[in-house]
């Protein structure tokens, strides 16, 4: 729905007493201090020092005179003035005015039975006549001030002792009869503290360092809770807070130095708070630095950024007023009014006012003029008293459900954030870190019914509820180890859904180093890793998630997610490393291995680099598995060479037979390596059957014999019928028969050795021998025939062997 701010005139100031003086001060003094009474019927204007009289003016709405108190001679100007509330009056609450001078003098004024203001009490706030008040604040019936105690003559001006020579004191307003009230006994709250600026907000007091505060503690502010008797020490720059009770063992005061003792981080690494303007609003403190950044300090000490204002106007020295109404930050910069959303810091509206002398007033007390000022902020100028509030447009066609979802989610995440960075709706829309608003916006685009919405967000709500219960358990101290493990798993899941760059990648590295088991379990669940029926590792995760895991992104020494997972597997599940790398290679897309400087190494090399840091007996076996599963020919041949040197013929044949269907070229290379080893020794004779299956289909017997000839050892001596003792027997044609038959069955063209090596299986017929006449032959003539017969018989025998 469309929202528009409206300014409505509540009064033109004519119904206030001393209206002419009131308009005059408002028109002439842009830096005048303006306050309203709790009932909203009195206005107090205090001119800054150096202005002409009157210095203080109290104007009353309706009948009755105002107040322009007389300043006693020698007291100087009024430092500050406040409206107090006096408890215990039977006639009901009436405004009580407290005036504070820098000299320590205080006056209490009130309205009683008689018309007009009456002086109820004159008091001295400071115990010593040489002390002076430097700051004051009031809340309810309590007046608090910071006074500078006189230093001894031995303490030099500007020294540490002089800088911590202040104290914070308080006095409560007490009823004195039916119509009178006085300030009670003074109590010292803090001793030996630096100079503070005091601001009151609802039920607490903020003690803010000033420009003259000692630099070593100028980054610290204090928050005092009078109702609880407790003080919080806060460092907004680091979101460090520490609380202590103010009444240990019956004491009602504390030494400032003891508050900072035994609290690490309070005094180290803090830059002084650079404050241009500070204002208390709705129980919190608003800080504006000279660069225009507005921060919010909550009553518990937590700090967060709100928004950024115009820097140019601040540099010109224009008056600035800050206020909060309806979760909106209102900033008056000169004659401009800016409205910012407190949750997202987005500029909602900018208005141009008719004057540059506008003051923001706190909302009036509940029950007083409720209809006039309900939910709004009041602005005071010489033109009158105005009320500012939001109006909801009636046109429904301007409804943008998606924008409303992100605005509401932005405010929610900003309130829960522990960082000082300002969160915007654009950051919620980017990536998938904040899943709930993305899912809700996607559902509302189709305006689905609530039942459908709840069913779609059931998983998100379950995760959120479980996370809240986990945080509660950790705070209570139950199940610390299990709780931190579960929290680490949730953090890894969240980071894997986001863009892993910069600080998020560094945070992921930290979680993996401290909680490796939890990080691996969470990653395995996110990637949906599981074994199928064949024992192969499979994943059902979307490609976008795999892309985040596999991209080679390095920042400030932080390892990419793939290296973190490999390192985690080396620690916990070494047997999972090779199948995980193979699965990652299957899931990887083109360009996913690119780093910041160009193309990166393949995944198996990135895994080998991680494996190099984990030397051990298992490292060599994992290296072989990674090389064999890389799918790269050079890497596979490198692994085959290592296996051949180790004589692991079974693994070599397993790898060759597994890779042969996908890469014929790699099959040929592995077969050539094994054939060379087969020609050199007889260790592969027992594996000839599997070696035959590895034979490439396009290899002919001629090619096979040529390869063998290339790798046969040179014979230095003539061949002998039997091998030497201890030596391998020589390669025979019988051993080659199986390989040649395999090559012949797959060959497409006939081999020239066809008629020699393969026959019908029967020997050729024996030739008939010649019969020579025996007459006249001597015993010597029979010897040649016998020798020929023996030679033929020997030839037939060798033919059978061939």
């Amino acid at each position: 729905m469309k929202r528009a701010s409206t300014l409505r005139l509540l009064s033109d100031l004519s119904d206030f007493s001393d209206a002419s003086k009131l308009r005059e001060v408002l028109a002439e003094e842009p830096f005048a201090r303006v306050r309203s009474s709790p009932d909203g019927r009195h206005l107090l204007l205090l001119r800054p020092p150096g202005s002409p009289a009157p210095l203080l003016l109290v104007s009353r709405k309706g009948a009755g005179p105002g107040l322009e108190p007389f300043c006693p001679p020698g007291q100087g100007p009024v430092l500050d003035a406040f409206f107090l509330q006096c408890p215990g009056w039977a006639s009901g609450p009436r405004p009580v005015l407290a005036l504070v001078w820098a000299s320590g003098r205080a006056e209490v004024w009130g309205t009683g039975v008689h018309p007009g203001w009456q002086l109820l009490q004159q008091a001295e706030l400071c115990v010593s006549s040489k002390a002076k008040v430097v700051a004051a604040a009031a809340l309810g019936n309590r007046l608090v001030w910071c006074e500078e105690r006189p230093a001894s003559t031995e303490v030099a001006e500007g020294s540490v002792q002089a800088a911590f020579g202040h104290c914070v004191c308080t006095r409560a307003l007490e009823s004195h009869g039916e119509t009178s009230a006085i300030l009670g006994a003074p109590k010292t709250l803090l001793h030996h503290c630096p100079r503070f600026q005091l601001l009151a907000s609802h039920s607490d007091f903020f003690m803010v360092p000033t420009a003259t505060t000692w630099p070593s503690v100028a980054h610290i502010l204090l928050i005092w809770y009078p109702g609880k008797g407790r003080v919080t020490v806060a460092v907004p720059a680091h979101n460090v807070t520490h609380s202590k009770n103010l009444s240990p063992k019956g004491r009602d005061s504390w030494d400032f130095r003891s508050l900072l003792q035994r609290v690490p981080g309070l005094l180290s690494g803090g830059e002084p708070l650079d404050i241009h303007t500070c204002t208390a609003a709705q129980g919190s403190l608003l800080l504006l630095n000279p660069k225009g950044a507005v921060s919010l300090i909550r009553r518990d000490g937590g700090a967060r950024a709100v928004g950024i204002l115009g820097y140019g106007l601040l540099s010109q020295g224009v008056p600035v007023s800050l206020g909060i109404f309806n979760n909106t930050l209102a900033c008056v910069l000169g004659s401009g009014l800016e409205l910012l959303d407190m949750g997202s810091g987005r500029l909602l509206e900018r208005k141009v006012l008719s004057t540059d002398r506008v003051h923001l007033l706190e909302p009036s007390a509940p029950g007083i003029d409720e209809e006039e000022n309900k939910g709004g902020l009041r602005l005071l100028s010489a033109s009158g008293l105005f009320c500012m509030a939001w109006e909801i447009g009636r046109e429904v066609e301007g409804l943008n459900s998606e924008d409303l979802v992100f605005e509401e989610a932005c405010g929610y995440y900003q309130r829960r954030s522990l960082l000082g960075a300002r969160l915007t709706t654009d950051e919620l829309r980017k990536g998938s870190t904040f899943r709930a608003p993305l899912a809700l916006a996607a559902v509302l685009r189709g305006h689905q019914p609530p039942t459908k919405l709840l069913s779609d967000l059931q998983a998100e709500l379950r995760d959120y509820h479980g996370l809240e219960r986990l945080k509660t358990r950790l705070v209570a101290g139950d199940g610390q180890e299990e709780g931190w493990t579960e929290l680490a798993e949730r953090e890894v899941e969240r980071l894997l859904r986001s863009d892993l760059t910069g600080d998020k990648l560094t945070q992921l590295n930290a979680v993996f180093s401290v909680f490796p088991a939890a990080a691996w379990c969470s990653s395995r669940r996110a990637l949906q890793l599981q074994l199928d029926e064949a024992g192969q590792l499979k994943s059902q995760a979307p490609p976008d998630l795999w892309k985040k895991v596999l991209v080679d992104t390095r920042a400030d020494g932080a390892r990419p997610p793939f290296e973190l997972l490999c390192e985690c597997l080396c620690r916990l599940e070494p047997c999972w490393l090779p199948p995980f790398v193979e699965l990652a290679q299957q899931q990887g897309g083109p360009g996913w291995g690119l780093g910041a400087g160009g193309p990166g190494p393949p995944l198996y090399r990135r895994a080998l680099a991680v494996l190099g840091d984990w030397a051990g007996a298992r490292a060599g076996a994992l290296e072989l598995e990674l090389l064999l599963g890389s799918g790269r020919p050079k890497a596979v041949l490198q692994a085959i060479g290592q296996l051949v040197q180790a004589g692991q013929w079974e693994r070599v044949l397993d790898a060759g037979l597994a890779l042969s269907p996908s890469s014929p070229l790699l099959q040929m290379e592995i077969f050539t390596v094994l054939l060379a080893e087969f020609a050199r020794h007889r260790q592969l004779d027992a594996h000839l059957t599997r070696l035959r299956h590895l034979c490439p289909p396009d290899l002919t017997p001629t090619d096979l014999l040529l390869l063998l000839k290339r790798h046969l050892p040179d014979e230095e001596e003539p061949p002998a019928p039997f091998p030497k003792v201890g030596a391998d027997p020589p390669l025979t044609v019988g051993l080659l028969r199986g390989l040649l038959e395999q090559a012949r069955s797959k060959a497409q063209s006939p081999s020239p050795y066809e008629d020699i090596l393969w026959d019908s299986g029967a020997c050729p017929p024996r030739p008939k021998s010649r019969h020579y006449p025996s007459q006249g032959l001597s015993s010597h003539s029979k010897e040649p025939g016998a020798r020929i017969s023996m030679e033929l018989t020997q030839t037939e025998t060798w033919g059978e062997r061939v």
Side-chain angles (χ1 to χ4, degrees):
M1 294 182 181
K2 294 182 178 179
R3 296 194 304 174
S5 64
T6 59
L7 284 175
R8 184 164 53 91
L9 180 64
L10 299 179
S11 172
D12 59 357
L13 303 183
S14 59
D15 54 345
F16 281 83
S17 61
D18 298 326
S20 59
K21 290 184 179 180
L22 181 62
R23 293 191 184 96
E24 179 185 355
V25 175
L26 290 173
E28 294 178 356
E29 293 293 345
F31 294 97
R33 195 172 302 166
V34 180
R35 289 192 175 92
S36 63
S37 61
D39 59 3
R41 300 185 184 277
H42 295 78
L43 291 176
L44 182 152
L45 276 75
L46 182 62
R47 285 184 170 183
S51 303
L55 296 176
L56 178 65
L57 176 65
V58 180
S59 182
R60 177 172 181 171
K61 183 179 181 180
L67 175 63
E68 191 175 335
F70 173 73
C71 295
Q75 295 293 336
V78 176
L79 176 67
D80 214 332
F82 309 96
F83 287 105
L84 298 177
Q85 295 178 349
C86 182
W89 278 348
S91 58
R94 293 192 302 272
V96 177
L97 181 65
L99 309 180
V100 179
W101 277 264
S103 60
R105 176 187 175 90
E107 292 183 358
V108 180
W109 294 75
T111 57
V113 180
H114 303 285
W117 293 84
Q118 290 87 33
L119 180 62
L120 303 180
Q121 183 189 17
Q122 293 180 356
E124 293 293 334
L125 300 179
C126 303
V127 178
S128 174
S129 59
K130 295 183 180 180
K132 63 179 181 178
V133 178
V134 295
L139 178 63
N141 68 324
R142 194 179 300 273
L143 178 66
V144 180
W145 70 92
C146 178
E147 68 177 59
E148 183 180 358
R149 297 277 175 93
S152 61
T153 56
E154 299 178 356
V155 177
E157 185 177 359
S159 61
V160 178
Q161 291 81 359
F164 289 87
H166 298 74
C167 63
V168 177
C169 306
T170 178
R171 295 181 73 168
L173 186 66
E174 303 171 353
S175 60
H176 188 68
E178 293 295 331
T179 59
S180 182
I182 59 174
L183 292 172
K187 295 182 179 180
T188 302
L189 184 66
L190 284 178
H191 292 285
H192 304 106
C193 64
R195 180 171 180 172
F196 283 122
Q197 178 183 358
L198 302 177
L199 295 168
S201 180
H202 279 193
S203 59
D204 312 317
F205 285 93
F206 289 89
M207 305 179 194
V208 185
T210 63
T212 59
T213 303
W214 192 257
S216 62
V217 294
H219 62 288
I220 299 175
L221 59 84
L222 305 180
I223 307 172
W224 177 42
Y225 315 96
K228 299 180 179 179
R230 186 166 50 89
V231 69
T232 293
V233 184
V235 181
H238 303 294
N239 258 324
V240 176
T241 60
H242 180 73
S243 297
K244 282 190 176 182
N245 293 325
L246 285 177
S247 301
K249 299 180 181 179
R251 292 189 296 174
D252 57 356
S253 64
W254 263 94
D255 189 277
F256 176 75
R257 295 166 295 186
S258 63
L259 285 176
L260 307 184
Q261 291 178 354
R262 299 179 182 179
V263 183
L266 287 182
L267 297 177
S268 61
E271 294 293 333
L273 291 175
D274 196 4
I275 301 175
H276 180 277
T277 303
C278 57
T279 304
Q282 294 190 358
S284 302
L285 181 67
L286 292 173
L287 298 181
L288 173 65
N289 65 13
K291 296 182 180 180
V294 181
S295 302
L296 178 71
I297 311 297
R298 300 189 301 269
R299 64 186 306 267
D300 59 356
R304 70 174 180 88
V306 176
I308 300 177
L309 306 179
Y311 172 70
L313 293 176
L314 292 179
S315 61
Q316 298 173 8
V318 299
V320 180
S321 297
L322 303 174
I324 299 176
F325 75 102
N326 291 341
N327 199 32
T328 303
L329 174 65
C331 308
V332 176
L333 300 172
S335 59
L337 173 63
E338 294 187 3
L339 303 178
L340 284 76
D341 183 76
M342 289 290 295
S344 62
R346 182 167 56 92
L347 179 64
L348 301 177
E349 193 175 354
R350 180 180 285 113
K351 290 180 178 292
V352 178
L353 306 176
S354 59
T355 177
D356 60 350
R357 292 168 175 82
V358 179
H359 304 272
L360 293 181
L361 300 178
E362 285 287 336
S364 58
I368 305 297
D369 292 340
E370 186 175 357
E371 295 300 325
E372 287 186 350
N373 306 296
K374 185 176 181 180
L377 193 69
R378 295 184 298 166
L379 289 81
L380 179 64
S381 69
S383 302
L385 180 63
F386 298 86
C387 177
M388 181 172 57
W390 288 114
E391 282 190 358
I392 306 299
R394 296 182 179 179
E395 56 277 6
V396 186
E397 58 270 11
L399 176 65
N400 188 342
S401 57
E402 184 177 352
D403 291 341
L404 291 178
V405 167
F406 282 106
E407 287 184 8
E408 184 68 23
C410 188
Y412 168 77
Y413 285 119
Q414 188 70 69
R415 289 192 301 271
R416 294 179 59 85
S417 176
L418 298 179
L419 301 177
R422 182 170 59 90
L423 185 64
T424 63
T425 56
D426 294 335
E427 294 180 1
L428 288 184
R429 296 174 188 267
K430 295 178 181 178
S432 58
T433 304
F434 303 94
R435 294 183 298 166
L438 290 174
L440 181 58
V443 171
L444 292 181
R445 288 192 190 105
H447 299 284
Q448 304 207 8
T451 55
K452 176 65 176 175
L453 173 63
L454 290 178
S455 62
D456 291 341
L457 292 180
Q458 185 177 6
E460 302 291 336
L461 295 175
R462 190 188 306 113
D463 291 345
Y464 169 75
H465 183 63
L467 184 59
E468 291 299 320
R469 286 190 291 121
L470 174 60
K471 291 180 180 178
T472 305
R473 193 168 75 244
L474 288 177
V475 171
D478 299 334
Q480 289 286 338
E481 185 175 355
E482 297 82 1
W484 287 120
T485 302
E486 184 178 353
L487 191 61
E489 293 181 1
R490 291 177 179 267
E491 182 66 10
V492 171
E493 291 180 3
R494 184 188 71 83
L495 292 173
L496 288 178
R497 292 192 299 267
S498 63
D499 294 332
L500 291 173
T501 56
D503 296 339
K504 294 181 180 179
L505 184 59
T506 305
Q507 188 173 359
L508 185 66
N509 277 254
V511 175
F512 266 84
S513 62
V514 179
F515 302 98
W520 163 240
C521 291
S522 179
S523 303
R524 184 176 60 184
R525 186 166 51 250
L527 294 174
Q528 303 179 32
L529 300 178
Q530 55 186 353
L531 297 176
D532 59 6
E533 297 178 355
Q536 299 294 325
L537 192 63
K538 300 295 181 182
S539 171
Q540 300 295 331
D544 292 341
L545 181 58
W546 275 105
K547 183 176 182 180
K548 294 177 183 178
V549 172
L550 301 182
V551 169
D552 191 2
T553 56
R554 302 174 185 268
D556 299 332
R559 286 192 168 188
F562 178 75
E563 276 75 2
L564 291 177
L565 290 173
C566 292
E567 181 178 353
C568 205
L569 288 174
C570 289
R571 288 184 180 182
L572 306 174
E573 299 285 348
C575 60
W576 276 61
L577 181 61
F580 174 74
V581 176
E582 293 182 23
L583 178 63
Q585 292 173 156
Q586 298 171 10
Q587 299 289 338
W592 288 11
L594 295 180
L603 293 179
Y604 82 93
R605 287 195 177 276
R606 293 168 60 182
L608 286 175
V610 175
L611 189 62
D613 301 334
W614 297 85
R618 195 65 185 273
L622 290 177
E623 180 182 357
L624 283 174
E625 295 290 342
L626 290 175
L627 292 174
L628 290 174
S630 64
R632 303 294 181 99
K634 291 185 178 179
V636 173
L637 291 178
Q638 179 183 349
I640 293 296
Q642 296 180 12
L643 292 174
V644 167
Q645 292 179 2
Q648 300 182 20
W649 310 114
E650 288 284 350
R651 294 196 61 187
V652 175
L653 290 168
D654 290 340
L657 293 174
L659 296 172
S660 58
S662 60
S663 178
L665 180 61
L666 194 57
Q667 177 186 5
M668 182 64 187
E669 293 292 336
I670 298 176
F671 181 77
T672 302
V673 172
L674 291 177
L675 193 63
E677 298 296 325
F678 179 70
R680 295 191 185 101
H681 50 75
R682 304 275 57 79
Q683 298 180 16
L684 277 169
D685 291 354
H687 308 283
L688 277 178
T689 303
R690 303 188 66 191
L691 185 60
R692 287 178 54 186
H693 297 306
L694 191 60
C695 181
D698 56 347
L699 188 68
T700 64
T702 305
D703 299 332
L704 180 64
L705 293 175
L706 291 176
L707 288 175
L708 280 172
K709 181 180 178 182
R710 187 186 307 169
H711 298 288
L712 283 173
D714 297 333
E715 295 184 358
E716 299 178 356
E717 299 178 358
F722 301 100
K724 296 181 179 180
V725 179
D728 289 337
L731 178 63
T732 63
V733 178
L735 294 175
L736 283 176
R737 181 182 293 274
L739 289 176
L740 292 173
E741 287 179 353
Q742 185 74 14
R744 172 177 174 266
S745 63
K746 296 182 179 181
Q748 299 179 357
S749 59
S751 172
Y753 304 98
E754 185 86 15
D755 56 344
I756 299 177
L757 297 176
W758 291 277
D759 51 17
S760 58
C763 295
R766 180 177 181 179
K768 296 180 179 181
S769 57
R770 291 183 179 183
H771 298 281
Y772 295 96
S774 57
Q775 291 85 359
L777 292 177
S778 62
S779 61
H780 295 282
S781 62
K782 295 180 181 180
E783 292 179 1
R787 186 166 56 252
I788 293 174
S789 177
M790 290 178 61
E791 290 177 359
L792 288 175
T793 303
Q794 188 176 6
T795 302
E796 293 173 0
T797 305
W798 282 103
E800 292 177 359
R801 292 183 60 185
V802 174

